[in-house]
């Protein structure tokens, strides 16, 4: 089975019912995507599938063959951080960090679709990404800051 991840082609075992998360982490070494609940609830495993924020623990390989998959490792443009990464770094957003790649992937998908969200729209998009450290206020500020950076074209 062929997968396209971060613009690269990978050949993986043909196991259509295997969750993408396990292949990313256990086979391909793309461990930036985290295992949280394994049940589609927490958002720690969020990646992009054809640009949409998608929970990789609930995404079977059969559904992503031929799709464009992006993980946190592919979010930056070479050395140039994505505005979301830049903002999370600037505002020192993570506490333990475990939820953060999922937070950033959800935020990046939101801003790709709506580069100028209201606070309410941002909360609506981010509300199902859980942070057990409770860094929600910093996460919210960072997503709005990323929108500003995109507007300024600063990154
Ligand atoms: S690990 Fe996938 S939603 Fe929690
Ligand atoms: S920073 Fe620890 S779970 Fe969010």
């Amino acid at each position: 089975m062929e997968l396209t991840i971060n613009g690269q082609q990978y050949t993986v075992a043909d196991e259509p019912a295997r969750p993408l998360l396990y292949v990313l982490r256990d086979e391909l070494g793309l461990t930036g995507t985290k295992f949280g609940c394994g049940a589609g609830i927490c958002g720690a495993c969020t990646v992009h599938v054809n640009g949409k924020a998608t929970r990789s623990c609930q995404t079977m390989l059969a559904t992503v063959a031929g799709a464009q998959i992006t993980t946190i490792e592919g979010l930056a443009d070479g050395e140039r951080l994505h505005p979301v990464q830049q903002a999370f770094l600037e505002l020192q957003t993570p506490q333990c960090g475990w939820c953060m790649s999922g937070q950033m992937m959800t935020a990046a998908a939101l801003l790709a679709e709506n580069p100028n969200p209201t606070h309410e729209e941002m909360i609506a998009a981010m509300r199902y990404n859980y942070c057990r450290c409770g860094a929600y206020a910093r996460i919210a500020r960072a997503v709005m800051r990323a929108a500003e950076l995109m507007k300024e074209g600063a990154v």
Side-chain angles (χ1 to χ4, degrees), residues 21 34-45 55-58:
L21 175 62
K34 302 303 185 202
F35 181 102
C37 63
I41 296 166
C42 73
C45 66
R55 297 189 171 204
S56 61
C57 72
Q58 299 298 300

Side-chain angles (χ1 to χ4, degrees), residues 59-87:
T59 301
M60 304 309 134
L61 289 189
T63 67
V64 290
Q68 293 293 330
I69 300 161
T70 306
T71 68
I72 190 72
E73 289 89 348
L75 193 60
D77 180 9
E79 294 296 299
R80 192 179 159 93
L81 292 180
H82 186 283
V84 167
Q85 293 172 305
Q86 185 64 42

Side-chain angles (χ1 to χ4, degrees), residues 44 93-100 103 129-136 138-139:
T93 306
Q95 189 162 319
C96 80
W98 195 257
C99 72
M100 286 293 156
Q103 304 281 0
N129 276 77
Y130 297 158
C131 173
R132 294 181 76 174
C133 298
Y136 293 111
R138 288 205 302 278
I139 292 166

